[in-house]
């Protein structure tokens, strides 16, 4: 659907007719011009309705009708999703919700059964992972992939794009790539200093701790000057002190105009840094909205705790939940009591 | 004592002869594929056979010049690498191993089959194709020369000289490649393909390049062997040679430029020294005849090499040149 620049005009039909046409080249540079870009993204997202599939003012990534099944299991079935450029979008959901599979699909590591998805209006379907990465969409992995038997600095240098010395024949003539290598080394050292890994530059990456590997992987991804950074559980297994510094780094990415999409389980982290949160359960997107909207969302609570939980609630919340639950029950009874409909119920009303 | 010196000299000659060059070149190729890129090529001998027969068939059957035969052999190796790589390199590492081991055995059986006899002479093989090459030697090749207590024919010396030159040039090429960004990508692929993909490198192309480069080294090794023996017989190219080359590589240290070279020399030295040494001990009655006869020696020496390799892997898993810290790291 064509993304209307004014948030109020954005009607969330959910079943967008044509994805990917929301790219406004004249506005792309807007976020990088140094005038507090994160606020631009937040402002742009502030007035959007909290609906699944809502159109964003300036989407970097648009997903349409993407499904992926493994045998009989539908791992991902996303009708429509837009990711705001220059913002931090958190992707949450219970285990097995399909978050990582969605990441794999978006970055070309897996091919979907149906659907289209695009970055900056350019379709990414049928692209292999390295082509996606060259467009400026880099990812990290849930299980950190540090290249153990390379040094930290070599890990970093691998991330640089357009290296002349990476072609077989030009590699044989050091004169062609030496200057570029030196530039890349300086850039890598800058990044390593920012991530406090510069003292370890000559150590094998395999000797780093889990948290340091996460940092290295993020720094390595940044070597490629990406436009979209996709972080798969960047904080998992990282001690609290390091979490703070990692959070700072993620916010820095936004300041530099990058679009960040991350998967995370720690709700405090999600609340702290995301501009927008997308909740997945059983392969579907069940809710979208700013972080503060998510904890009140019945579908989300049901997805995480089951439909029949009894968590301690405040009186107001209790009333609210009760009203919603009654509504859902009433509707369920009307629709022959489909077992799954309690999860989907609120989503339907939203549309 | 003189006998011992003699055994040492014979073993030393073996470590410098064309067989050592053969294994060194095979192992350099495997080092590029397995040591740096993590590709499991278990059929390196197939590339060697194509190299050797490339020359043999070109010269003996087609009557084209020796150096054109060299090009034919190299081209055949490149084609084989592409054929093996195209379907398997997108899959997990195991599939390349399966495809290469089957190809090596299949090609040998094809070359010795009756239907291939018009081209390869079947089990009898081809000979008399290295005349052009031997004639290039700057010394008299029909004479024998004595070097460090061993006797070399002029032809042997010439093959060894050119062969070691090839080994040196090959090692220099590997050295230059592995310190370049290209080599860095290759080593990263060994560590984790997906991470490399996510950083915008076309892993498939790099793996293919490594497979082709290693195959070309294998072909060069086969050529040295064919020219050294003066004949090309399919059954010389048993796949056991691939695994001896792996042994040489691990002995010397994988992912080290000189690992395969030194490893091949040591392997050949040990094999030959065990052979002459054991025969000597049997002849002198030190080892009683009913315990071990001289006909058993050919097998026993491989057992000794096996035991030696096991000891090496227990006490020095990184090989002679390897970095222990590196080997001790968990690969993932």
């Amino acid at each position: 659907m064509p993304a209307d620049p004014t948030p109020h005009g954005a009607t969330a039909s959910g079943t967008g007719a044509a994805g990917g046409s929301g790219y406004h080249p004249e506005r792309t540079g807007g976020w990088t011009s140094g005038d507090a870009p994160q606020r631009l993204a937040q402002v742009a997202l502030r007035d959007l309705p909290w609906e699944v599939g809502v159109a964003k003012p300036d989407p970097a990534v648009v997903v349409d009708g993407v499904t992926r099944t493994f045998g009989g299991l539908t791992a991902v079935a996303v009708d429509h999703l837009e990711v705001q450029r220059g913002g931090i979008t958190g992707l949450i959901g219970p285990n097995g919700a399909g978050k990582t599979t969605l990441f794999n699909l978006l970055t070309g590591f897996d091919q979907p059964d149906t659907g289209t998805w695009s970055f900056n209006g350019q379709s990414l379907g049928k692209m292999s992972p390295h082509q996606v990465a060259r467009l400026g969409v880099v990812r990290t992995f849930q299980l950190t992939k540090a290249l153990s038997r390379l040094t930290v600095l070599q890990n970093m240098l691998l991330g640089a794009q357009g290296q002349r010395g990476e072609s077989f024949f030009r590699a044989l003539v050091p004169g062609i790539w030496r200057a570029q290598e030196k530039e890349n080394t300086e850039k890598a050292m800058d990044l390593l200093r920012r991530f406090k890994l510069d003292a370890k530059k000559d150590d094998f990456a395999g000797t780093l701790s889990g948290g340091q590997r996460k940092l290295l992987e993020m720094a390595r991804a940044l070597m490629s000057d990406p436009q979209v950074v996709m972080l798969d559980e960047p904080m998992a297994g990282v001690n609290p002190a390091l979490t703070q510094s990692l959070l700072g780094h993620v916010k820095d990415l936004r300041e530099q105009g990058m679009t960040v999409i991350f998967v995370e389980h720690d709700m405090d982290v999600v609340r702290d840094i995301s501009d927008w949160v997308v909740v997945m359960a059983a392969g579907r997107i069940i809710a979208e909205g700013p972080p503060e909207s998510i904890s009140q969302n019945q579908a989300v609570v049901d997805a995480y705790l089951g439909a029949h939980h009894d968590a301690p609630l405040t009186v107001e919340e209790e009333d609210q939940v009760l009203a919603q639950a009654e509504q859902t029950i009433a509707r369920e009874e009307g629709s022959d009591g489909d077992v799954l409909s309690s999860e989907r119920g609120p989503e339907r009303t939203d549309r | 004592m003189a006998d011992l010196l003699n055994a040492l000299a014979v073993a030393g000659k073996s470590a410098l002869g064309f067989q050592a060059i053969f294994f060194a070149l095979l192992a350099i190729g495997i080092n590029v594929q397995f040591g740096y890129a993590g590709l499991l090529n278990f059929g390196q001998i197939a590339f060697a056979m194509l190299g050797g027969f490339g020359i043999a068939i070109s010269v003996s059957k087609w009557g084209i010049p020796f150096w054109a035969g060299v090009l034919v052999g190299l081209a055949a190796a490149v084609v084989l690498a592409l054929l093996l790589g195209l379907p398997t390199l997108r899959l997990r590492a195991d599939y390349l191993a399966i495809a290469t081991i089957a190809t090596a055995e299949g090609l040998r059986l094809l070359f010795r089959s009756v239907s291939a006899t018009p081209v390869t002479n079947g089990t009898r093989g081809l000979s008399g194709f290295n005349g052009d090459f031997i004639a290039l030697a700057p010394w008299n090749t029909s004479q024998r020369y004595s070097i460090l207590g061993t006797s070399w024919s002029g032809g042997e010396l010439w093959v060894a000289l050119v062969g070691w030159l090839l080994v040196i040039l090959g090692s220099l090429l590997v050295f230059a490649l592995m310190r370049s960004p290209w080599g860095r990508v290759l080593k990263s692929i060994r560590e984790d393909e997906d991470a490399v993909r996510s950083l915008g490198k076309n892993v498939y192309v790099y793996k293919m390049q490594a497979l082709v480069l290693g195959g070309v080294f294998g072909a060069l090794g086969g050529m040295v062997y064919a020219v050294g023996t003066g004949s090309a017989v399919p059954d010389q190219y048993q796949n056991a040679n691939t695994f001896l080359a792996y042994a040489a590589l691990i002995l010397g240290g994988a992912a080290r430029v000189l690992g395969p070279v030194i490893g091949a020399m040591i392997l050949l030295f040990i094999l030959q020294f065990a052979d002459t040494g054991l025969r000597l001990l049997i002849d002198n009655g030190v080892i009683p005849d009913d315990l071990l006869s001289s006909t058993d020696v050919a097998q026993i020496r491989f057992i000794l090499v096996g035991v030696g390799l096991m000891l090496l892997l227990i006490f020095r898993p990184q090989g002679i040149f390897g970095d222990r810290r590196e080997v001790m790291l968990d690969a993932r």
Side-chain angles (χ1 to χ4, degrees):
Chain A
M1 81 192 74
D4 195 318
T6 58
H8 298 289
T11 52
S13 65
T15 52
S21 54
Y23 176 47
H24 301 278
E26 72 275 10
R27 284 157 37 113
T28 51
W31 307 130
T32 53
S33 57
D35 47 359
Q38 90 277 20
R39 253 172 286 151
L40 284 177
Q42 273 168 351
V43 167
L45 292 167
R46 192 178 51 205
D47 297 327
L48 291 183
W50 303 350
E51 291 169 2
V52 173
V54 65
K56 309 294 185 301
D58 182 18
V61 177
V62 179
V63 182
D64 250 312
V66 166
T67 60
R68 176 72 170 108
T69 55
F70 298 112
L73 174 80
T74 304
V76 167
V78 172
D79 286 337
H80 189 80
L81 173 66
E82 295 185 8
V83 177
Q84 173 69 15
R85 186 188 317 282
I88 299 181
T89 301
L91 188 55
I92 64 169
N95 292 326
K99 307 178 295 290
T100 299
T101 310
L102 182 62
F103 261 38
N104 286 343
L105 293 172
L106 291 180
T107 48
F109 279 87
D110 194 4
Q111 293 297 323
D113 303 320
T114 63
T116 58
W117 64 108
S118 62
F119 164 63
N120 280 354
Q122 183 173 7
S123 172
L124 298 183
K126 305 280 174 233
M127 270 201 194
S128 46
H130 71 271
Q131 289 169 317
V132 175
R134 282 178 194 172
L135 282 180
V137 182
V138 296
R139 68 170 297 184
T140 66
F141 294 87
Q142 186 174 1
L143 299 171
T144 324
K145 293 188 185 294
L147 307 165
S148 304
R149 284 178 291 176
L150 268 64
T151 66
V152 168
L153 184 59
Q154 283 176 324
N155 264 271
M156 292 295 290
L157 289 173
L158 185 75
Q161 296 297 299
Q163 295 192 48
R164 289 190 277 269
E166 285 185 353
S167 121
F168 180 84
F169 291 105
R170 277 181 290 187
L172 293 171
V173 191
I176 295 178
W177 47 263
R178 191 152 288 156
Q180 194 188 26
E181 183 85 346
K182 202 162 159 256
E183 269 172 43
N184 286 338
T185 308
E186 277 164 23
K187 184 173 160 192
M189 286 311 295
D190 271 352
L191 274 168
L192 285 179
R193 269 189 287 276
R194 256 174 60 195
F195 283 80
K196 305 235 174 359
L197 285 171
D198 48 331
K200 302 233 167 224
K201 74 182 171 77
D202 293 323
D203 291 3
F204 284 122
T207 63
L208 297 183
S209 73
Q212 287 170 326
R213 286 183 203 208
K214 291 263 176 205
L215 284 170
L216 174 62
E217 201 181 22
M218 200 188 286
R220 191 176 66 195
L222 296 185
M223 274 299 283
S224 64
D225 294 323
Q227 297 179 49
V228 176
V229 184
M230 300 176 73
L231 306 170
D232 200 343
E233 301 204 16
M235 318 296 170
V238 177
N239 78 51
L242 208 50
T243 302
Q244 281 311 314
S245 104
L246 263 169
L247 284 180
H249 289 307
V250 175
K251 286 179 185 165
D252 272 356
L253 302 184
R254 179 176 59 185
E255 306 292 329
Q256 291 162 18
M258 289 177 213
T259 306
V260 181
I261 309 173
F262 73 102
V263 168
E264 189 52 62
H265 281 298
D266 185 339
M267 290 309 286
D268 289 334
V269 169
V270 174
R271 246 192 300 274
D272 184 5
I273 63 172
S274 11
D275 300 323
W276 192 261
V277 177
V278 175
V279 190
M280 287 184 79
R284 294 172 181 282
I285 294 178
I286 56 168
E288 261 191 71
E292 56 273 18
S293 74
I294 292 305
S295 48
Q296 307 157 17
N297 189 306
Q298 184 58 35
V300 178
V301 177
D302 284 352
Y304 268 94
L305 300 173
H308 303 288
H309 65 92
D310 42 21
L313 298 170
T314 63
V315 179
E316 299 94 282
E317 277 175 331
E318 214 163 340
D319 287 346
Q320 204 182 348
V321 168
L322 204 66
Q324 273 182 353
E326 275 166 0
Q327 241 180 347
T328 313
I329 289 165
R331 205 170 42 247
E332 258 177 43
E333 282 170 349
S335 65
D336 285 319
D338 180 0
V339 184
L340 284 174
S341 66
S342 63
E343 266 186 17
R344 294 184 193 152
E347 188 191 353
R348 282 198 186 137
T349 41
D350 282 345
R351 287 189 196 165
Chain B
M1 196 61 208
D3 284 343
L4 180 69
L5 276 180
N6 185 44
L8 280 173
V10 171
K13 180 192 173 186
S14 175
L16 293 172
F18 69 87
Q19 283 194 315
I21 299 168
F22 169 63
F23 283 116
L25 284 169
L26 290 194
I28 290 175
I30 292 174
N31 194 27
V32 171
Q33 294 165 341
F34 167 74
Y36 290 107
L39 299 173
L40 279 176
N41 173 7
F42 281 158
Q44 180 72 332
I45 198 66
F47 295 94
M49 188 166 75
L50 288 185
F53 271 91
I55 295 178
I57 295 173
S58 300
V59 175
S60 303
K61 292 284 173 183
W62 302 340
I64 57 178
F66 178 86
W67 297 107
V70 171
L71 292 183
V72 169
L74 293 179
V78 171
V79 169
L80 178 66
L82 292 176
L83 284 178
L84 284 172
L86 278 174
T88 55
L89 288 185
R90 287 188 201 280
L91 307 172
R92 267 203 338 257
D94 333 18
Y95 291 93
L96 179 68
I98 295 167
T100 48
I101 202 167
T103 305
E105 201 55 13
L107 267 185
R108 183 178 66 84
L109 292 175
L110 177 72
F111 272 49
R112 77 194 294 279
S113 68
V114 177
S115 51
T117 306
V119 187
T120 62
N121 253 7
T123 47
R124 279 181 301 153
L126 297 161
S127 57
F129 48 80
N130 60 355
D132 280 1
F133 176 78
I134 301 292
L136 287 175
W139 50 73
N140 184 359
T141 50
S142 53
Q143 211 183 315
R144 293 195 77 81
Y145 299 85
S146 181
I147 297 171
L148 289 174
T150 55
S151 153
W152 296 64
S153 83
E156 269 182 317
L157 268 183
W158 177 234
V159 174
L161 180 74
V162 174
W164 283 117
L165 214 61
L166 271 178
V167 170
I168 291 169
L169 288 178
S171 299
L172 282 176
L173 178 70
V174 172
F175 172 73
L177 281 173
M178 293 313 159
R179 60 199 276 275
S180 77
W182 185 84
R184 188 165 58 219
V185 178
L186 218 58
K187 283 180 263 184
S188 312
I189 289 172
R190 172 191 70 195
E191 299 299 311
D192 196 311
E193 277 180 34
D194 280 345
V196 181
R197 279 200 191 93
S198 76
L199 293 170
K201 321 290 176 197
N202 191 344
V203 168
Y204 185 63
V205 167
Y206 284 98
K207 282 161 90 174
M208 188 63 93
Q209 288 172 340
L211 190 64
V212 169
L213 181 64
V216 164
F217 278 120
L220 287 174
M223 287 174 190
V224 170
Y225 192 76
V227 170
T229 54
S231 66
V233 180
D235 287 344
Q236 286 171 339
Y237 297 95
Q238 299 277 358
N239 207 10
N241 290 308
T242 302
F243 299 106
L244 280 176
Y246 266 97
L249 175 63
I250 290 163
L251 196 65
R256 284 288 177 277
V257 173
L258 286 180
V261 180
I262 304 297
M265 292 171 80
I266 292 176
L267 181 75
L268 265 284
F269 184 89
I270 295 173
L271 281 179
Q272 191 60 52
F273 186 70
D275 189 82
T276 2
L278 282 173
R279 278 177 211 282
L280 208 70
L281 292 176
I282 292 166
D283 289 347
N284 291 353
V286 180
I287 298 176
D289 222 11
D290 41 328
L291 183 70
L292 197 66
S293 73
S294 46
T295 45
D296 301 327
V297 168
Q299 280 79 45
I300 289 288
R301 60 190 185 144
F302 282 105
I303 297 178
L304 288 179
V305 169
V307 171
L309 267 179
M310 275 156 61
L311 291 176
L312 184 85
L313 287 181
I314 292 167
F315 295 108
R316 200 176 163 81
Q318 71 272 37
I320 290 164
F321 283 107
D323 182 338
R324 191 179 180 89
R325 288 186 310 153
E326 195 175 315
V327 175
M328 286 296 132
L329 280 176
D330 195 44
R332 304 279 142 179

